[in-house]
Amino acid sequence: LSCANIVLLNEYLASRENKLSVSECIQLIDNISKAFKYLKKHNLGYYGLDLADILVIDDTYYLICNTVRLMSIRKEMLQINCLIENCEFSNPEIASLTQLHATINLKSVYYSVGLLVIFVLLNRKVVKGSDIEKIIAVLRGSKLYWFIKRCVVSSSDKRMLLLI
């Protein structure tokens, strides 16, 4: 493996007015989706994401590099058996956890991906109580609009990482 440039996504964004282009967002989604698919084959999954969890390699590839938020999967459910770190792009299931030895749907992290895409594309951080529909209205009719809508469905088992 050789590359000319590796930087964390938060540093990469800081050098680019905190935004990615549409094509860069699509590449980010593709790379994250492939990583999730690979991890699922090995019974692992993430519960959330931070900008500092993702490396940008040669301005082209996005690689999740933080293993702290990686959890075991059993029957499509993440097994939460230890204290977990908060993350920038969390999901409602993590926010509502009240005990250890809990399980959440593997697709819960898709909500985090939706929030991440909103941030890198629109430079808008979604906080609790925000109207996501209003925030992404500027994208209405685009692939990314529908992608985000599928990620932030309230029921975690109905979420999808689908960009068409």
Side-chain angles (χ1 to χ4, degrees), residues 62-97:
Y62 302 88
L63 177 69
I64 303 172
C65 61
N66 186 344
T67 58
V68 172
R69 290 180 241 297
L70 205 53
M71 298 283 166
S72 297
I73 300 171
R74 190 174 316 128
K75 298 181 182 175
E76 299 290 314
M77 302 297 281
L78 286 172
Q79 307 298 308
I80 311 290
N81 296 316
C82 61
L83 294 175
I84 57 175
E85 291 184 357
N86 285 334
C87 48
E88 283 178 284
F89 306 104
S90 194
N91 56 65
E93 295 77 22
I94 289 295
S96 66
L97 283 180

Side-chain angles (χ1 to χ4, degrees), residues 3 24 53 67 78 80 82 99 117 127-128 144 149:
C3 60
E24 290 168 321
D53 292 343
T67 58
L78 286 172
I80 311 290
C82 61
Q99 62 185 18
V117 170
V127 295
K128 188 175 181 177
L144 290 172
K149 291 280 286 183

Side-chain angles (χ1 to χ4, degrees), residues 23-60:
S23 62
E24 290 168 321
C25 278
I26 290 170
Q27 183 68 34
L28 172 68
I29 291 164
D30 181 62
N31 294 164
I32 287 175
S33 297
K34 286 177 180 172
F36 287 169
K37 190 175 186 178
Y38 174 82
L39 290 168
K40 184 178 176 186
K41 285 181 185 176
H42 296 281
N43 296 316
L44 295 167
Y46 279 94
Y47 66 81
L49 296 169
D50 277 353
L51 292 173
D53 292 343
I54 300 170
L55 289 173
V56 182
I57 303 170
D58 290 339
D59 300 332
T60 306

Side-chain angles (χ1 to χ4, degrees), residues 8-31:
L8 291 171
L9 182 56
N10 56 340
E11 297 167 4
Y12 185 73
L13 289 170
S15 70
R16 309 181 83 240
E17 298 179 14
N18 283 324
K19 286 187 176 183
L20 294 180
S21 69
V22 168
S23 62
E24 290 168 321
C25 278
I26 290 170
Q27 183 68 34
L28 172 68
I29 291 164
D30 181 62
N31 294 164

